[in-house]
Every structure is written in structure tokens, then in C-alpha cells.
Amino acid sequence: MRKDGLVVQLDNLVREHPDFEALREPTLNGYCFRCVPNGLVERQEEPEVQALLDLLNEEIVQDVRRNGFAAVVTIRVHGRAAIRVSFSSSRALVEEVDATFEAIARSGRVLNKKLSVRYEPDMETKLCSSESHSSPTEVSAT
């Protein structure tokens, strides 16, 4: 598949998931987006929530890179930590895009729970309840 098709595929996955927001239009050089758990969307301008979201996005990138997804890096967009994915080759497959996003979404769910408990004891109930969200690209960890 052509590289531009891969970026469009990733854009579709991000825009369909309730815990992610696209930050820029897709380009051939990379795609930038951010994990914003559904329960925090309306509060994301609050300084303490911004700090939590920055930490969440940075830790997602660290986690998926440790698991072999080298195409994923942290980037700053408008001063906020975000996720950037770039596929260096047009030989990449749709399955690689799906696997990359699945790893990011899975990491986001796990880290969101850990950070919310550490951040504020009652915030876990306020944060994303996307565990019930099912996407065709999500794979349950067993």
C-alpha cells in the first residue's frame, strides 16, 4: 500500500476511537495525535489535567517503543506532548498500521488506569471508561 494510504488508515483509526484526537491533517512525513481519555475531554484545558495528559502520552510512547514500535515518537504540538507515527517505507502494510495503533490504544488504557490512581484517588471513576469500547482493530490482552 502507498504511504499516503497508510497515514489515512491511521487517521481513520484515531478519529474513530473515543480516547484519541487528531492534532493535524495527515502528511506523508508523519501523523500527530494525542490520547485524551473520553472522560477528560471537557477538562483538558485545566492545568492539572494537561499535566496528566502530557505524562500519559509520553509514557504511551515509551511503552510502545519498548515493545518494538520504533515508528512511534513523542512530539510537542502547541506545547503539549503528543504521539507521532511515521512509516518510513511505502512497503509497510495496513496490518502494521493496525498493530501500531492497537499497541498505542492498549498502552493508553493500561497507563490511564495506573496514572489516574496515582494522580488522584477518585479520578479513576472520572476518567475514560473505554474498556467497554470495542473497535475492530483492538485486540484484548490475555
Side-chain angles (χ1 to χ4, degrees):
M1 175 176 260
R2 290 181 38 187
K3 195 173 174 181
D4 57 343
L6 298 173
V7 176
V8 169
Q9 169 69 11
L10 181 58
D11 181 55
N12 289 334
L13 293 170
V14 167
R15 292 178 190 274
E16 290 171 2
H17 199 290
D19 294 336
F20 289 89
E21 67 178 3
L23 296 176
R24 296 183 178 158
E25 290 301 312
T27 69
L28 290 179
N29 295 327
Y31 182 69
C32 298
F33 60 102
R34 185 168 162 86
C35 180
V36 180
N38 196 27
L40 291 178
V41 170
E42 293 181 12
R43 297 184 54 211
Q44 67 179 312
E45 296 305 316
E46 297 174 21
E48 62 277 0
V49 174
Q50 286 180 358
L52 177 66
L53 292 174
D54 284 347
L55 181 61
L56 175 62
N57 281 275
E58 290 166 354
E59 289 197 12
I60 288 170
V61 169
Q62 291 172 13
D63 184 53
V64 297
R65 287 183 64 83
R66 273 192 303 270
N67 289 303
F69 294 91
V72 181
V73 296
T74 303
I75 188 170
R76 292 293 233 203
V77 177
H78 304 296
R80 310 280 17 125
I83 301 165
R84 182 173 185 269
V85 177
S86 61
F87 299 98
S88 59
S89 166
S90 60
R91 294 182 311 203
L93 304 171
V94 171
E95 292 80 15
E96 291 176 60
V97 174
D98 291 345
T100 300
F101 186 72
E102 287 169 12
I104 292 167
R106 184 173 33 254
S107 178
R109 281 190 305 274
V110 171
L111 291 168
N112 179 37
K113 284 184 176 183
K114 289 180 183 175
L115 290 175
S116 65
V117 170
R118 200 170 59 193
Y119 182 73
E120 181 180 322
D122 68 336
M123 189 172 261
E124 183 174 18
T125 58
K126 298 176 191 173
L127 294 180
C128 146
S129 60
S130 72
E131 288 297 312
S132 63
H133 172 73
S134 178
S135 158
T137 61
E138 288 186 8
V139 176
S140 60
T142 54

PDB file of all heavy atoms in Angstrom, residues 63-86:
ATOM      1  N   ASP A  63       6.303   3.169  26.326  1.00  0.00           N
ATOM      2  CA  ASP A  63       5.845   1.790  26.430  1.00  0.00           C
ATOM      3  C   ASP A  63       5.842   1.096  25.071  1.00  0.00           C
ATOM      4  O   ASP A  63       6.370  -0.010  24.934  1.00  0.00           O
ATOM      5  CB  ASP A  63       4.445   1.752  27.054  1.00  0.00           C
ATOM      6  CG  ASP A  63       3.944   0.336  27.272  1.00  0.00           C
ATOM      7  OD1 ASP A  63       4.675  -0.462  27.918  1.00  0.00           O
ATOM      8  OD2 ASP A  63       2.835   0.026  26.806  1.00  0.00           O
ATOM      9  N   VAL A  64       5.270   1.726  24.063  1.00  0.00           N
ATOM     10  CA  VAL A  64       5.188   1.052  22.762  1.00  0.00           C
ATOM     11  C   VAL A  64       6.557   0.946  22.095  1.00  0.00           C
ATOM     12  O   VAL A  64       6.831  -0.020  21.396  1.00  0.00           O
ATOM     13  CB  VAL A  64       4.134   1.682  21.810  1.00  0.00           C
ATOM     14  CG1 VAL A  64       2.740   1.551  22.380  1.00  0.00           C
ATOM     15  CG2 VAL A  64       4.445   3.107  21.474  1.00  0.00           C
ATOM     16  N   ARG A  65       7.433   1.898  22.349  1.00  0.00           N
ATOM     17  CA  ARG A  65       8.802   1.796  21.812  1.00  0.00           C
ATOM     18  C   ARG A  65       9.546   0.626  22.470  1.00  0.00           C
ATOM     19  O   ARG A  65      10.277  -0.091  21.804  1.00  0.00           O
ATOM     20  CB  ARG A  65       9.560   3.106  21.981  1.00  0.00           C
ATOM     21  CG  ARG A  65       9.063   4.175  21.005  1.00  0.00           C
ATOM     22  CD  ARG A  65       9.847   5.464  21.109  1.00  0.00           C
ATOM     23  NE  ARG A  65      11.241   5.298  20.747  1.00  0.00           N
ATOM     24  CZ  ARG A  65      11.727   5.302  19.509  1.00  0.00           C
ATOM     25  NH1 ARG A  65      10.911   5.443  18.478  1.00  0.00           N
ATOM     26  NH2 ARG A  65      13.016   5.174  19.288  1.00  0.00           N
ATOM     27  N   ARG A  66       9.341   0.436  23.774  1.00  0.00           N
ATOM     28  CA  ARG A  66       9.956  -0.711  24.460  1.00  0.00           C
ATOM     29  C   ARG A  66       9.469  -2.029  23.866  1.00  0.00           C
ATOM     30  O   ARG A  66      10.151  -3.043  23.926  1.00  0.00           O
ATOM     31  CB  ARG A  66       9.618  -0.699  25.953  1.00  0.00           C
ATOM     32  CG  ARG A  66      10.550   0.109  26.799  1.00  0.00           C
ATOM     33  CD  ARG A  66      10.328  -0.155  28.288  1.00  0.00           C
ATOM     34  NE  ARG A  66       8.972   0.099  28.730  1.00  0.00           N
ATOM     35  CZ  ARG A  66       8.525   1.276  29.191  1.00  0.00           C
ATOM     36  NH1 ARG A  66       9.343   2.297  29.273  1.00  0.00           N
ATOM     37  NH2 ARG A  66       7.272   1.404  29.576  1.00  0.00           N
ATOM     38  N   ASN A  67       8.274  -2.000  23.306  1.00  0.00           N
ATOM     39  CA  ASN A  67       7.694  -3.200  22.713  1.00  0.00           C
ATOM     40  C   ASN A  67       7.949  -3.302  21.210  1.00  0.00           C
ATOM     41  O   ASN A  67       7.285  -4.066  20.516  1.00  0.00           O
ATOM     42  CB  ASN A  67       6.195  -3.268  23.019  1.00  0.00           C
ATOM     43  CG  ASN A  67       5.950  -3.578  24.478  1.00  0.00           C
ATOM     44  OD1 ASN A  67       6.418  -4.599  24.973  1.00  0.00           O
ATOM     45  ND2 ASN A  67       5.258  -2.702  25.169  1.00  0.00           N
ATOM     46  N   GLY A  68       8.911  -2.528  20.712  1.00  0.00           N
ATOM     47  CA  GLY A  68       9.367  -2.691  19.340  1.00  0.00           C
ATOM     48  C   GLY A  68       8.737  -1.815  18.286  1.00  0.00           C
ATOM     49  O   GLY A  68       8.977  -2.015  17.098  1.00  0.00           O
ATOM     50  N   PHE A  69       7.958  -0.839  18.667  1.00  0.00           N
ATOM     51  CA  PHE A  69       7.331   0.040  17.684  1.00  0.00           C
ATOM     52  C   PHE A  69       8.161   1.320  17.532  1.00  0.00           C
ATOM     53  O   PHE A  69       7.835   2.365  18.090  1.00  0.00           O
ATOM     54  CB  PHE A  69       5.883   0.354  18.074  1.00  0.00           C
ATOM     55  CG  PHE A  69       4.992  -0.850  18.023  1.00  0.00           C
ATOM     56  CD1 PHE A  69       4.806  -1.641  19.153  1.00  0.00           C
ATOM     57  CD2 PHE A  69       4.353  -1.195  16.846  1.00  0.00           C
ATOM     58  CE1 PHE A  69       3.986  -2.761  19.104  1.00  0.00           C
ATOM     59  CE2 PHE A  69       3.532  -2.317  16.791  1.00  0.00           C
ATOM     60  CZ  PHE A  69       3.357  -3.100  17.919  1.00  0.00           C
ATOM     61  N   ALA A  70       9.221   1.229  16.757  1.00  0.00           N
ATOM     62  CA  ALA A  70      10.178   2.321  16.617  1.00  0.00           C
ATOM     63  C   ALA A  70       9.620   3.515  15.849  1.00  0.00           C
ATOM     64  O   ALA A  70      10.155   4.616  15.941  1.00  0.00           O
ATOM     65  CB  ALA A  70      11.443   1.817  15.930  1.00  0.00           C
ATOM     66  N   ALA A  71       8.549   3.333  15.105  1.00  0.00           N
ATOM     67  CA  ALA A  71       7.973   4.417  14.312  1.00  0.00           C
ATOM     68  C   ALA A  71       7.200   5.412  15.163  1.00  0.00           C
ATOM     69  O   ALA A  71       6.717   6.418  14.669  1.00  0.00           O
ATOM     70  CB  ALA A  71       7.056   3.848  13.228  1.00  0.00           C
ATOM     71  N   VAL A  72       7.083   5.150  16.466  1.00  0.00           N
ATOM     72  CA  VAL A  72       6.295   5.983  17.373  1.00  0.00           C
ATOM     73  C   VAL A  72       7.240   6.834  18.214  1.00  0.00           C
ATOM     74  O   VAL A  72       8.148   6.315  18.859  1.00  0.00           O
ATOM     75  CB  VAL A  72       5.411   5.101  18.292  1.00  0.00           C
ATOM     76  CG1 VAL A  72       4.570   5.956  19.223  1.00  0.00           C
ATOM     77  CG2 VAL A  72       4.535   4.173  17.459  1.00  0.00           C
ATOM     78  N   VAL A  73       7.035   8.149  18.203  1.00  0.00           N
ATOM     79  CA  VAL A  73       7.866   9.065  18.988  1.00  0.00           C
ATOM     80  C   VAL A  73       6.982  10.120  19.648  1.00  0.00           C
ATOM     81  O   VAL A  73       5.842  10.328  19.251  1.00  0.00           O
ATOM     82  CB  VAL A  73       8.945   9.768  18.113  1.00  0.00           C
ATOM     83  CG1 VAL A  73       9.931   8.765  17.542  1.00  0.00           C
ATOM     84  CG2 VAL A  73       8.320  10.590  17.021  1.00  0.00           C
ATOM     85  N   THR A  74       7.547  10.764  20.652  1.00  0.00           N
ATOM     86  CA  THR A  74       6.865  11.887  21.298  1.00  0.00           C
ATOM     87  C   THR A  74       7.203  13.154  20.536  1.00  0.00           C
ATOM     88  O   THR A  74       8.332  13.343  20.090  1.00  0.00           O
ATOM     89  CB  THR A  74       7.335  12.038  22.764  1.00  0.00           C
ATOM     90  OG1 THR A  74       7.105  10.814  23.452  1.00  0.00           O
ATOM     91  CG2 THR A  74       6.584  13.154  23.474  1.00  0.00           C
ATOM     92  N   ILE A  75       6.229  14.012  20.407  1.00  0.00           N
ATOM     93  CA  ILE A  75       6.416  15.305  19.754  1.00  0.00           C
ATOM     94  C   ILE A  75       5.610  16.331  20.552  1.00  0.00           C
ATOM     95  O   ILE A  75       4.665  15.973  21.249  1.00  0.00           O
ATOM     96  CB  ILE A  75       5.952  15.249  18.277  1.00  0.00           C
ATOM     97  CG1 ILE A  75       6.331  16.528  17.535  1.00  0.00           C
ATOM     98  CG2 ILE A  75       4.475  14.957  18.175  1.00  0.00           C
ATOM     99  CD1 ILE A  75       6.128  16.440  16.034  1.00  0.00           C
ATOM    100  N   ARG A  76       6.003  17.584  20.466  1.00  0.00           N
ATOM    101  CA  ARG A  76       5.241  18.655  21.111  1.00  0.00           C
ATOM    102  C   ARG A  76       4.426  19.366  20.042  1.00  0.00           C
ATOM    103  O   ARG A  76       4.954  19.773  19.011  1.00  0.00           O
ATOM    104  CB  ARG A  76       6.179  19.668  21.766  1.00  0.00           C
ATOM    105  CG  ARG A  76       6.936  19.121  22.969  1.00  0.00           C
ATOM    106  CD  ARG A  76       6.029  18.841  24.051  1.00  0.00           C
ATOM    107  NE  ARG A  76       6.287  19.394  25.338  1.00  0.00           N
ATOM    108  CZ  ARG A  76       5.780  18.826  26.424  1.00  0.00           C
ATOM    109  NH1 ARG A  76       5.074  17.734  26.335  1.00  0.00           N
ATOM    110  NH2 ARG A  76       5.968  19.346  27.590  1.00  0.00           N
ATOM    111  N   VAL A  77       3.134  19.517  20.303  1.00  0.00           N
ATOM    112  CA  VAL A  77       2.241  20.241  19.406  1.00  0.00           C
ATOM    113  C   VAL A  77       1.520  21.273  20.263  1.00  0.00           C
ATOM    114  O   VAL A  77       0.822  20.905  21.215  1.00  0.00           O
ATOM    115  CB  VAL A  77       1.227  19.292  18.721  1.00  0.00           C
ATOM    116  CG1 VAL A  77       0.258  20.083  17.853  1.00  0.00           C
ATOM    117  CG2 VAL A  77       1.952  18.226  17.907  1.00  0.00           C
ATOM    118  N   HIS A  78       1.744  22.528  19.952  1.00  0.00           N
ATOM    119  CA  HIS A  78       1.172  23.628  20.737  1.00  0.00           C
ATOM    120  C   HIS A  78       1.541  23.500  22.215  1.00  0.00           C
ATOM    121  O   HIS A  78       0.714  23.733  23.101  1.00  0.00           O
ATOM    122  CB  HIS A  78      -0.342  23.719  20.561  1.00  0.00           C
ATOM    123  CG  HIS A  78      -0.769  23.853  19.139  1.00  0.00           C
ATOM    124  ND1 HIS A  78      -0.453  24.934  18.360  1.00  0.00           N
ATOM    125  CD2 HIS A  78      -1.476  23.005  18.347  1.00  0.00           C
ATOM    126  CE1 HIS A  78      -0.940  24.771  17.152  1.00  0.00           C
ATOM    127  NE2 HIS A  78      -1.566  23.598  17.122  1.00  0.00           N
ATOM    128  N   GLY A  79       2.760  23.050  22.492  1.00  0.00           N
ATOM    129  CA  GLY A  79       3.268  22.940  23.846  1.00  0.00           C
ATOM    130  C   GLY A  79       2.829  21.696  24.608  1.00  0.00           C
ATOM    131  O   GLY A  79       3.209  21.497  25.748  1.00  0.00           O
ATOM    132  N   ARG A  80       2.044  20.845  23.994  1.00  0.00           N
ATOM    133  CA  ARG A  80       1.522  19.651  24.640  1.00  0.00           C
ATOM    134  C   ARG A  80       2.197  18.409  24.072  1.00  0.00           C
ATOM    135  O   ARG A  80       2.491  18.338  22.882  1.00  0.00           O
ATOM    136  CB  ARG A  80       0.004  19.511  24.419  1.00  0.00           C
ATOM    137  CG  ARG A  80      -0.792  20.747  24.742  1.00  0.00           C
ATOM    138  CD  ARG A  80      -1.140  21.068  26.170  1.00  0.00           C
ATOM    139  NE  ARG A  80      -0.454  20.458  27.251  1.00  0.00           N
ATOM    140  CZ  ARG A  80       0.156  21.131  28.227  1.00  0.00           C
ATOM    141  NH1 ARG A  80       0.200  22.429  28.214  1.00  0.00           N
ATOM    142  NH2 ARG A  80       0.725  20.494  29.215  1.00  0.00           N
ATOM    143  N   ALA A  81       2.427  17.420  24.921  1.00  0.00           N
ATOM    144  CA  ALA A  81       3.013  16.157  24.466  1.00  0.00           C
ATOM    145  C   ALA A  81       1.997  15.424  23.595  1.00  0.00           C
ATOM    146  O   ALA A  81       0.812  15.368  23.915  1.00  0.00           O
ATOM    147  CB  ALA A  81       3.397  15.286  25.655  1.00  0.00           C
ATOM    148  N   ALA A  82       2.486  14.893  22.489  1.00  0.00           N
ATOM    149  CA  ALA A  82       1.632  14.166  21.558  1.00  0.00           C
ATOM    150  C   ALA A  82       2.398  12.967  21.008  1.00  0.00           C
ATOM    151  O   ALA A  82       3.590  12.801  21.281  1.00  0.00           O
ATOM    152  CB  ALA A  82       1.182  15.087  20.421  1.00  0.00           C
ATOM    153  N   ILE A  83       1.706  12.175  20.237  1.00  0.00           N
ATOM    154  CA  ILE A  83       2.265  10.966  19.646  1.00  0.00           C
ATOM    155  C   ILE A  83       2.430  11.202  18.151  1.00  0.00           C
ATOM    156  O   ILE A  83       1.510  11.697  17.491  1.00  0.00           O
ATOM    157  CB  ILE A  83       1.318   9.771  19.886  1.00  0.00           C
ATOM    158  CG1 ILE A  83       1.114   9.558  21.387  1.00  0.00           C
ATOM    159  CG2 ILE A  83       1.845   8.514  19.191  1.00  0.00           C
ATOM    160  CD1 ILE A  83      -0.054   8.648  21.740  1.00  0.00           C
ATOM    161  N   ARG A  84       3.593  10.850  17.638  1.00  0.00           N
ATOM    162  CA  ARG A  84       3.835  10.968  16.195  1.00  0.00           C
ATOM    163  C   ARG A  84       4.223   9.595  15.670  1.00  0.00           C
ATOM    164  O   ARG A  84       5.086   8.924  16.234  1.00  0.00           O
ATOM    165  CB  ARG A  84       4.957  11.952  15.903  1.00  0.00           C
ATOM    166  CG  ARG A  84       5.202  12.135  14.415  1.00  0.00           C
ATOM    167  CD  ARG A  84       6.218  13.252  14.197  1.00  0.00           C
ATOM    168  NE  ARG A  84       6.393  13.521  12.805  1.00  0.00           N
ATOM    169  CZ  ARG A  84       7.309  12.936  12.031  1.00  0.00           C
ATOM    170  NH1 ARG A  84       8.123  12.038  12.536  1.00  0.00           N
ATOM    171  NH2 ARG A  84       7.405  13.242  10.764  1.00  0.00           N
ATOM    172  N   VAL A  85       3.572   9.207  14.599  1.00  0.00           N
ATOM    173  CA  VAL A  85       3.882   7.942  13.947  1.00  0.00           C
ATOM    174  C   VAL A  85       4.258   8.254  12.511  1.00  0.00           C
ATOM    175  O   VAL A  85       3.560   9.002  11.826  1.00  0.00           O
ATOM    176  CB  VAL A  85       2.672   6.980  13.970  1.00  0.00           C
ATOM    177  CG1 VAL A  85       2.992   5.690  13.229  1.00  0.00           C
ATOM    178  CG2 VAL A  85       2.244   6.684  15.404  1.00  0.00           C
ATOM    179  N   SER A  86       5.369   7.706  12.083  1.00  0.00           N
ATOM    180  CA  SER A  86       5.738   7.843  10.677  1.00  0.00           C
ATOM    181  C   SER A  86       6.207   6.491  10.166  1.00  0.00           C
ATOM    182  O   SER A  86       6.951   5.790  10.847  1.00  0.00           O
ATOM    183  CB  SER A  86       6.816   8.901  10.484  1.00  0.00           C
ATOM    184  OG  SER A  86       7.977   8.559  11.187  1.00  0.00           O
TER     185      SER A  86
END
